[in-house]
Amino acid sequence: MNYWLMKSEPDVFSYDDLVKKGKAEWDGVRNYAAQNNMKAMRKGDLSIFYHSNIGIEAVGIMEIVAEAAPDSTDDTGKWMAVHVGPKEKFAKPVTLKTMKADPALADMAMIRQSRLSVSPLTEAEFKHIVSLSKA
């Protein structure tokens, strides 16, 4: 199993929106590094859902329910999307400030490449963020 962190602006698509839909296409990603990460995703992988720009915090866990396929919002046929489903909403969101201050997360891809919307996590990073949401 692989672990990921995926960002969305909550005023565009939030974790609560995902819960309401039950599953959704993670579309509109137009960055090559993020696209490569999505192409590496496998059904059953888990991802932290991160609210960017507003809130700036990890808010829940989602599961990859369908692997990379053509993005329905892309008329060029060049970009891919995955489908995700909700797994668990965090009782306590984990802020970016908390993550940046935590030595256990210092090497996390999102900390090093803050503009990347889809990034890998190690199993240890994933579990640590989940544990912070319960603290």
Side-chain angles (χ1 to χ4, degrees):
M1 175 181 298
N2 295 305
Y3 300 92
W4 309 94
L5 185 140
M6 299 167 76
K7 297 179 181 180
S8 179
E9 296 173 13
D11 58 335
V12 176
F13 188 74
S14 69
Y15 191 84
D16 289 339
D17 293 332
L18 177 60
V19 169
K20 285 178 196 160
K21 288 185 92 169
K23 83 173 187 180
E25 180 181 47
W26 199 270
D27 56 30
V29 176
R30 303 293 186 263
N31 172 283
Y32 288 106
Q35 279 285 295
N36 287 336
N37 289 331
M38 289 173 52
K39 289 175 186 175
M41 292 177 177
R42 296 295 168 251
K43 188 174 179 181
D45 284 357
L46 297 178
S47 179
I48 299 291
F49 193 120
Y50 180 88
H51 282 169
S52 61
N53 293 344
I54 301 169
I56 312 175
E57 58 196 4
V59 296
I61 301 169
M62 57 187 177
E63 180 178 3
I64 307 307
V65 297
E67 296 177 15
D71 182 330
S72 69
T73 67
D74 173 34
D75 294 334
T76 69
K78 175 176 160 181
W79 302 102
M80 306 297 278
V82 296
H83 281 80
V84 296
K87 192 92 171 145
E88 175 187 339
K89 185 173 182 176
F90 288 162
K92 177 183 144 201
V94 182
T95 66
L96 177 60
K97 184 178 179 180
T98 298
M99 288 187 268
K100 281 185 169 183
D102 194 317
L105 300 174
D107 292 329
M108 192 168 71
M110 185 193 75
I111 302 296
R112 291 182 285 111
Q113 296 174 293
S114 63
R115 297 198 39 86
L116 193 58
S117 64
V118 178
S119 58
L121 292 172
T122 65
E123 182 176 6
E125 290 166 343
F126 178 88
K127 287 181 176 180
H128 191 70
I129 293 168
V130 171
S131 73
L132 291 172
S133 77
K134 299 176 187 306

